[in-house]
Amino acid sequence: HLTVILTASDIISTVEFNHTGELLATGDKGGRVVIFQREQESKNQPHRRGEYNVYSTFQSHEPEFDYLKSLEIEEKINKIRWLPQQNAAYFLLSTNDKTVKLWKVSERDKRPEGYNLKDEDGRLRDPSMITMLRVPVLRPMDLMVEATPRRVFANAHTYHINSISVNSDYETYMSADDLRINLWNFEITNQSFNIVDIKPANMEELTEVITAAEFHPHHCNTFVYSSSKGTIRLCDMRASALCDRHSKFFEEPEDPSNRSFFSEIISSISDVKFSHSGRYIMTRDYLTVKVWDLNMENRPIETYQVHDYLRSKLCSLYENDCIFDKFECVWNGSDSVIMTGSYNNFFRMFDRNTKRDVTLEASRENSKPRAILKPRKVCVGGKRRKDEISVDSLDFSKKILHTAWHPSENIIAVAATNNLYIFQDKVN
Amino acid sequence: MLAKGVKRPRGEMEGGDPEPRDPSAAPASSLFNISMVKLHQSLRHVEPNLRHLVLVANTLRRMQDQMQREAGGPMAPDSPEAPSVGDDLLLSAMDSSISTILEDLGQVEVLSPARPEEEQPLAGASGARQEPARTSAPCLGPLELLSSASYLLEDSLEDIFEDIDTSMYDCDLWSPTSLSGFKAFSGAEDSDSKALAGAEDRLDMSDLDYLMDVLVGGHPPGAHRGRSIS
């Protein structure tokens, strides 16, 4: 594997490839977005083919102060989602807890020169000195990539936004917070449609929140949202304007032998993703990744153990709040492999066909460029082998919550706190 | 930190304990205290992390149900729970924690006037509705706080201000999206166009103000006041 390690100045909070995989965007806790672009193939430097370099950096969100409630709204970028490319410019949505923004990223490599009324520095020329009329011409300049905010979708969420998802019609998108999901049209910023509302009439009856939501990749009327109780609801917007009644309800019955005080917390779904085919959904809860067939609601078709050795540590993980960590999960381009993060900078991949799985580590020591990643193993009890690491030595402050997979190639991006790791499967 | 519990074989449990103990779990009482602390900390934020709050509250309810069941039902021979005296202490500790939270609530209520037709007022204001809830699940007390937290009263806040005319502040010229058209370019030559556009804005706004004043009758026509808008 080829490795590129890039260090950000702040904790990375989201990672996302665009639809072609040419661009990779990261958002961080400081409200910044950094976009990487893949180098074009070059015959002169074949070994550098396909490396990602910084393309654009901009400040997406600033900290805000809500004077009415006397609280500061964090600038941390919770999610970035790309729009499919429709012209020369790139468009992406980025969101913090309260506000979604549409950004346009475009290139400029020419500039007009030879204005009549001002000189090259922009200073106004003395009109009495102008004796000739000239036509400005476009001259090449150094490539400049600029990001401009095109739309700001604000004031529609009372609670914290956890998800955004672009619809396959490319005209609308949804934003979901703890209790509500809103549908937006890209052209309209001063209103949105509320399509899901699970806020109870009396807040003391609140027992469940929305944790993630996503549109179906092909059917623009279908979306899913997951809850803190481990359930997934599939909704059809053609059925009614307010989709409080689901079309399908996915829930696995609780395993009585595994019940504990923490059963509900570890069943809380932290991420839900449709497969590229649209036939399956994948959910991540604290200890497992599950694959569901849309046609079967009563249980998942596949369950993968991410770090089952933590099951006996739930009490201490509850005390230090790690049990509330929200891990994401991703499909590869062909839906044959799924990937998710864990602690100690470990991340796991599961091959759905061969049923083989591997644990890899994103760390500087183990990731020299062009070195092959060595599989890691956690030792649960008994005798620890040489390369294994024991459960009690795991570093729970090093968590991989955000990962991304290139839409068609074996290139993955893994965010480990401040560092972004890009691994490429180099086939000679 | 982790107390080692003894894992009871399934056959030993009377009637099949629906919630077998986590083998390495701390005693339920310390877990309960930890949960109450978490709940307190969560509620201290103006905008609590709702997911965290709900999960902790649900876990507390689960523990409470378990403790009440064990306090009422028969004891397993080697149950880690103390006899009923300890349980009474726990339940009274719970009650006092909840009353502390409700005391803190008193300050929140000042910010958010009670709207009985829309939201659940604090305990004490309408005791009758809450009595049955109290006896069966005292842990609901902390969640009553949510109904009075100012940020969740978004509907009633509108009502407070409904007699104030906000049409002036709905002016599109002040919204960020309408101004974004002026920010299309960056670079030296465009700062001029931006300045020009800004000046046009200011002109329009002062014209509007002047017109409003004339219509309202505050100022005689003909007197054009200079306005500076930052």
Side-chain angles (χ1 to χ4, degrees):
Chain A
H1 297 91
L2 271 170
T3 308
V4 175
I5 308 169
L6 303 132
T7 304
S9 50
D10 218 330
I11 296 171
I12 298 169
S13 48
T14 184
V15 189
E16 187 83 354
F17 281 99
N18 75 339
H19 292 256
T20 60
E22 182 204 351
L23 298 180
L24 174 67
T26 62
D28 68 22
K29 202 158 153 274
R32 270 175 307 271
V33 171
V34 180
I35 302 177
F36 302 89
Q37 186 186 43
R38 194 173 183 197
E39 265 183 29
Q40 297 292 346
E41 288 187 40
S42 156
K43 290 193 173 46
N44 303 333
Q45 293 181 310
H47 63 281
R48 283 181 65 83
R49 191 207 114 200
E51 277 188 13
Y52 284 84
N53 301 312
V54 177
Y55 179 66
S56 173
T57 304
F58 57 93
Q59 188 74 34
S60 172
H61 287 70
E62 299 273 5
E64 282 175 53
F65 197 78
D66 184 332
Y67 291 93
L68 192 62
K69 300 168 197 165
S70 192
L71 66 90
E72 186 167 285
I73 301 169
E74 260 194 84
E75 67 274 30
K76 174 167 75 84
I77 309 292
N78 292 335
K79 284 285 177 346
I80 289 174
R81 288 290 183 264
W82 290 93
L83 270 71
Q85 198 174 359
Q86 290 168 302
N87 54 32
Y90 303 103
F91 287 87
L92 62 81
L93 285 173
S94 72
T95 187
N96 67 350
D97 281 339
K98 297 285 183 174
T99 304
V100 185
K101 293 187 184 182
L102 176 69
W103 286 89
K104 176 182 177 183
V105 182
S106 50
E107 293 180 7
R108 203 198 310 208
D109 60 358
K110 293 185 197 40
R111 63 185 229 170
E113 278 178 26
Y115 283 104
N116 287 285
L117 297 179
K118 48 190 178 187
D119 59 27
E120 296 312 315
D121 296 331
R123 282 190 293 264
L124 287 172
R125 294 171 71 191
D126 181 0
S128 60
M129 300 290 289
I130 300 171
T131 53
M132 265 175 43
L133 192 69
R134 58 183 179 169
V135 179
V137 289
L138 287 175
R139 294 211 191 282
M141 57 181 260
D142 287 339
L143 180 68
M144 193 168 73
V145 181
E146 48 186 16
T148 46
R150 300 302 293 168
R151 302 274 186 276
V152 177
F153 305 92
N155 302 321
H157 285 279
T158 309
Y159 311 103
H160 294 168
I161 298 175
N162 51 57
S163 311
I164 46 176
S165 178
V166 179
N167 205 349
S168 52
D169 63 9
Y170 305 154
E171 287 181 2
T172 56
Y173 76 92
M174 69 160 141
S175 55
D177 67 29
D178 293 312
L179 298 179
R180 298 193 176 105
I181 302 179
N182 294 330
L183 180 72
W184 301 85
N185 182 302
F186 280 112
E187 299 305 314
I188 301 167
T189 59
N190 61 358
Q191 63 176 1
S192 65
F193 286 106
N194 176 243
I195 52 175
V196 174
D197 188 338
I198 65 167
K199 183 182 173 193
N202 297 319
M203 279 300 275
E204 65 206 43
E205 291 161 13
L206 181 67
T207 57
E208 192 174 12
V209 297
I210 298 170
T211 53
E214 195 181 50
F215 268 117
H216 191 282
H218 313 307
H219 305 311
C220 58
N221 54 287
T222 305
F223 65 93
V224 291
Y225 69 92
S226 59
S227 83
S228 55
K229 285 194 170 176
T231 65
I232 308 109
R233 287 170 177 81
L234 183 134
C235 300
D236 185 338
M237 294 195 293
R238 296 171 301 189
S240 68
L242 186 62
C243 298
D244 276 357
R245 293 182 60 201
H246 49 263
S247 301
K248 293 194 192 222
F249 182 77
F250 300 84
E251 187 181 28
E252 184 172 30
E254 196 178 353
D255 178 4
S257 64
N258 265 339
R259 279 190 80 176
S260 75
F261 288 135
F262 310 111
S263 292
E264 182 177 321
I265 300 180
I266 63 170
S267 76
S268 173
I269 293 173
S270 51
D271 195 14
V272 65
K273 292 267 171 49
F274 272 100
S275 64
H276 291 93
S277 63
R279 285 185 54 198
Y280 306 104
I281 47 176
M282 166 168 56
T283 58
R284 175 68 155 98
D285 51 60
Y286 190 62
L287 297 177
T288 72
V289 181
K290 296 183 164 112
V291 176
W292 306 73
D293 187 319
L294 284 188
N295 297 318
M296 187 159 73
E297 298 167 54
N298 58 354
R299 60 181 171 80
I301 55 170
E302 295 153 32
T303 300
Y304 301 94
Q305 303 295 332
V306 181
H307 38 215
D308 200 54
Y309 45 78
L310 295 182
R311 200 176 285 273
S312 56
K313 308 278 181 198
L314 292 179
C315 189
S316 57
L317 292 167
Y318 177 68
E319 280 182 75
N320 63 17
D321 269 348
C322 279
I323 206 174
F324 298 102
D325 286 336
K326 295 195 297 179
F327 293 93
E328 293 170 9
C329 54
V330 287
W331 299 86
N332 76 337
S334 57
D335 298 336
S336 58
V337 183
I338 57 183
M339 174 170 69
T340 189
S342 177
Y343 294 105
N344 208 76
N345 280 350
F346 287 169
F347 57 100
R348 304 262 284 135
M349 286 192 205
F350 302 91
D351 189 317
R352 297 179 59 217
N353 300 323
T354 66
K355 300 302 179 196
R356 285 165 55 187
D357 63 84
V358 68
T359 305
L360 300 168
E361 182 178 359
S363 77
R364 288 189 173 275
E365 302 82 53
N366 298 337
S367 306
K368 305 283 184 297
R370 283 180 276 283
I372 295 175
L373 278 178
K374 204 174 55 175
R376 310 283 293 153
K377 196 158 160 52
V378 177
C379 154
V380 191
K383 219 160 148 54
R384 185 176 75 88
R385 290 209 195 93
K386 190 161 101 58
D387 281 338
E388 290 180 355
I389 180 166
S390 80
V391 187
D392 298 309
S393 314
L394 293 174
D395 188 343
F396 290 94
S397 68
K398 293 187 185 169
K399 45 194 100 178
I400 291 182
L401 304 172
H402 314 287
T403 59
W405 204 310
H406 189 284
S408 51
E409 296 185 35
N410 279 346
I411 305 172
I412 57 174
V414 174
T417 323
N418 278 37
N419 296 309
L420 179 72
Y421 292 76
I422 303 178
F423 300 109
Q424 303 188 46
D425 208 6
K426 193 160 141 53
V427 182
N428 291 321
Chain B
M1 184 164 59
L2 284 179
K4 285 218 164 90
V6 176
K7 189 170 184 178
R8 290 172 290 172
R10 242 201 135 79
E12 260 187 81
M13 290 186 278
E14 293 182 352
D17 190 336
E19 295 238 36
R21 286 269 177 274
D22 190 318
S24 58
S29 56
S30 72
L31 264 180
F32 181 86
N33 290 337
I34 293 166
S35 301
M36 287 300 282
V37 167
K38 282 189 193 298
L39 200 64
H40 272 281
Q41 284 170 346
S42 216
L43 290 169
R44 217 161 269 150
H45 295 124
V46 181
E47 273 194 356
N49 180 335
L50 220 55
R51 173 181 167 262
H52 188 268
L53 188 65
V54 157
L55 288 174
V56 170
N58 290 351
T59 306
L60 265 172
R61 270 201 207 98
R62 251 182 135 124
M63 289 183 200
Q64 193 194 352
D65 289 346
Q66 174 76 5
M67 284 195 279
Q68 281 179 341
R69 220 179 306 135
E70 283 181 359
M75 285 291 166
D78 50 359
S79 160
E81 286 296 315
S84 52
V85 173
D87 284 334
D88 284 348
L89 281 172
L90 269 173
L91 290 171
S92 64
M94 210 180 352
D95 282 344
S96 64
S97 303
I98 289 164
S99 52
T100 317
I101 293 173
L102 292 176
E103 267 184 71
D104 292 345
L105 272 190
Q107 287 140 30
V108 178
E109 191 179 16
V110 173
L111 296 171
S112 49
R115 307 290 296 194
E117 70 274 10
E118 284 174 19
E119 300 285 352
Q120 197 70 275
L122 285 173
S126 71
R129 215 175 335 157
Q130 289 160 12
E131 276 311 301
R134 278 294 195 96
T135 48
S136 61
C139 261
L140 283 176
L143 285 179
E144 289 173 311
L145 164 67
L146 290 176
S147 63
S148 320
S150 54
Y151 90 111
L152 293 165
L153 281 179
E154 76 268 34
D155 295 334
S156 52
L157 278 173
E158 294 264 301
D159 295 335
I160 298 168
F161 296 113
E162 69 186 327
D163 60 330
I164 297 176
D165 174 31
T166 57
S167 57
M168 175 128 169
Y169 302 103
D170 290 340
C171 181
D172 270 352
L173 280 169
W174 288 3
S175 74
T177 51
S178 67
L179 290 175
S180 67
F182 300 124
K183 294 187 198 158
F185 299 100
S186 58
E189 67 267 24
D190 297 309
S191 57
D192 286 341
S193 64
K194 225 195 296 186
L196 272 172
E200 272 163 22
D201 269 351
R202 285 191 281 274
L203 236 73
D204 285 346
M205 277 314 300
S206 62
D207 279 346
L208 198 68
D209 285 353
Y210 173 61
L211 275 169
M212 283 299 300
D213 286 342
V214 166
L215 288 168
V216 165
H219 293 269
H224 193 111
R225 290 177 304 162
R227 272 287 198 116
S228 67
I229 297 174
S230 56

